[in-house]
Structure formats: structure tokens, C-alpha cells
Amino acid sequence: MHLNVCLCYILQGPLVGVNPVQIRRMVCFRDSSLVFLAITLFYVSDPCDDFRCKRGKMCKLDQDNKPSCVCQESTECPPSLNEFDHVCGTDNKTYSTSCELFATKCNLEGTKKGHRLHLDYTGPCKLIPPCVDTELVQFPLRMRDWLKNVLLQLYEHDSMSAGYLTSKQRFRVKKIFESERRLHAGNHSDELLAHDFEKNYNMYIYPVHWQFAQLDQHPSDRVLSHSELAPLRVPLVPMEHCTSRFFQECDADKDKHVSLTEWTSCFGIKSNDIDVNLLF
Ligand SMILES: *[C@@H]1O[C@H](CO)[C@@H](O)[C@H](O)[C@H]1NC(C)=O
Ligand SMILES: *[C@@H]1O[C@H](CO)[C@@H](O)[C@H](O)[C@H]1NC(C)=O
Ligand SMILES: [Ca+2]
Ligand SMILES: [Ca+2]
């Protein structure tokens, strides 16, 4: 990794956050002596550089210098900087960092306990009150509003420094952004949110599709697995106690995956308005 980044620095100036695969591709467009240099450096660099391991595992070289993934020891995890690094496991135990949770899970591999252990939510474990039916109905009101506001914020950021949204996405959000009728971000009552959903229903169709596409990437198969939902669920659970129940019930046919149809219907989008083109 260091060698590749270094080389990149020489050729193109500093490139922060670019992965080695991209770097190699860029290097290949350069003049032939530099290409040669790049390839040489790539082969002498650490075989673990480009080797991906899932969370809880790390790359180690075996006797033949071949990279492989082995369980990380939780003592090797970087220490937590503050309470925001703490996570609560599905065993209702607080772990200092998510690294520690996944290392623990990996070291329990093959056991029932290890199989059941997942990251439940961010922050230390706390008492999460049960979600009652009336609250469950209110949850999508806030969630839809929030999704719309996230997109509008990305749109506003984009006008200062482009790169958050693609041009297609910008075009769709622009229509919402420029609408005079839209409800501006704020701490609105559930009544107002419900009223706005009726009045400005069309503004919510795209944000609901957009969030689905954001999550459906591992793989992009039009269904969300438990782990694809995690980036949304995990930070939300401590703030919105209906999150877990909402996503559980969203999976109407109980096949452990949330399909696009299930997802949109959970958010009150009519089946006629489901449009796979909005996912791109
Ligand atoms: C989980 O742990 C928290 C904090 O220790 C506790 O308040 C809560 O009651 C526990 N929840 C369950 C379901 O046991
Ligand atoms: C939002 O409004 C509700 C009442 O409608 C109030 O109880 C709550 O404290 C407010 N939250 C914030 C963050 O202002
Ligand atoms: Ca998927
Ligand atoms: Ca399902």
C-alpha cells in the first residue's frame, strides 16, 4: 500500500483515499518507463496490501508468503477514543469498538454463540423500550422525512463541491429542492408529517428508492440482506426504538430479505410508483 501510494504521489501528486487498484489503472496510462517502474514496485509490495478480509479477520502471510485471512485478536484492535466508538452486540454486551465485537465473533467461529453474535447498534447497550403498534405506524413518517432531508442536504453540499450525487440523482433531487410546496427540515409533529405525505406524496417516491439503492450493493440484487440493512439500522436503533421491529415487519414474506416491493410498501409508496429506473 505504501509503495503504491508513494508512487502515485510522484506521478500525480497526493491522492488521498484512492484504492491501490485504481492507482494501478491510472499508472498504466503513463509513459512506458514509469509503467515498468509501477509494475516492479507492485510486485515487490506486500501481498497483503490488496488482500481483503472480512471484518474481524486480518491478512497474514503463511510460510509460502501467501496471504490469508485469520481471526484478529480483540487485544490487537485499536483502542476506543470515546464512548461513540462503543457498540452493543446482539448478546446485549457492550464492546469498546466494533473491531472488538467482530474479533470476538471471529474467535467464536463454528459455535452457536458466534453465529448469533451481530452488531446490534452503536453506543453502549441500553434499555430499548418495546415498540408498540401505534409507534410502529409513526416510524415511517419520520423516516421518509429524514430520507428526503438527507438527499436535500447532499444536493446542497454538491453545489459547493460536486461528487456526492450523480447527474441523474441531482436532476431528481433538484425537482424536490426547487418545489415551493416542500416541507422544510425541522422538528415536525407526526400529524404534519402525515399531512405532508398526502399533499406532497410525489416528493417521497425518489428518496425511498434512493435509500434502497444505496443499501443494495453487496450484491445489487434488488433485495436487502440483514447485513446490507445494517449501515442504516445500526446507528438508528438507539435513537428510534421501532427500527428493529420496522425492518423485521418490512420483510412481509419472512424470507429474511427485504425486496424492493416490500421496502417501498413499508414506506407507503404505491405499487404503481415502484420504478427500478429510479435505482440508477
Ligand atoms: C441490556 O443491557 C442494558 C444495560 O446494561 C440493560 O439496561 C437492559 O435491560 C438489557 N436489555 C435486555 C433485553 O436484557
Ligand atoms: C420536538 O418536538 C417535540 C414536541 O412536538 C418535543 O417534545 C421535542 O423535545 C422536540 N425535539 C427537539 C430536538 O427539539
Ligand atoms: Ca442485495
Ligand atoms: Ca422478504
Side-chain angles (χ1 to χ4, degrees), residues 251 253 255 257-258 262:
D251 175 21
D253 64 4
D255 68 348
H257 287 82
V258 176
E262 287 172 330

Side-chain angles (χ1 to χ4, degrees), residues 88 91-94 121 124-128:
C88 183
D91 54 357
N92 201 36
K93 260 198 209 145
T94 303
Y121 51 89
C125 297
K126 57 181 192 178
L127 182 63
I128 305 232

Side-chain angles (χ1 to χ4, degrees), residues 105-172:
K105 181 178 168 67
C106 187
N107 285 293
L108 288 170
E109 216 163 50
T111 67
K112 223 182 206 174
K113 211 171 152 197
H115 185 69
R116 285 213 208 104
L117 180 60
H118 297 282
L119 172 58
D120 201 3
Y121 51 89
T122 45
C125 297
K126 57 181 192 178
L127 182 63
I128 305 232
C131 168
V132 300
D133 293 352
T134 48
E135 293 168 326
L136 187 64
V137 177
Q138 291 157 357
F139 178 81
L141 294 173
R142 290 190 296 274
M143 182 86 195
R144 269 188 312 243
D145 186 55
W146 179 76
L147 289 178
K148 182 169 64 93
N149 291 329
V150 167
L151 261 182
L152 290 168
Q153 265 188 17
L154 288 177
Y155 181 84
E156 283 187 280
H157 276 296
D158 231 26
S159 27
M160 290 181 283
S161 59
Y164 293 98
L165 300 172
T166 65
S167 54
K168 252 188 201 168
Q169 291 171 329
R170 282 190 66 74
F171 174 74
R172 290 168 183 143

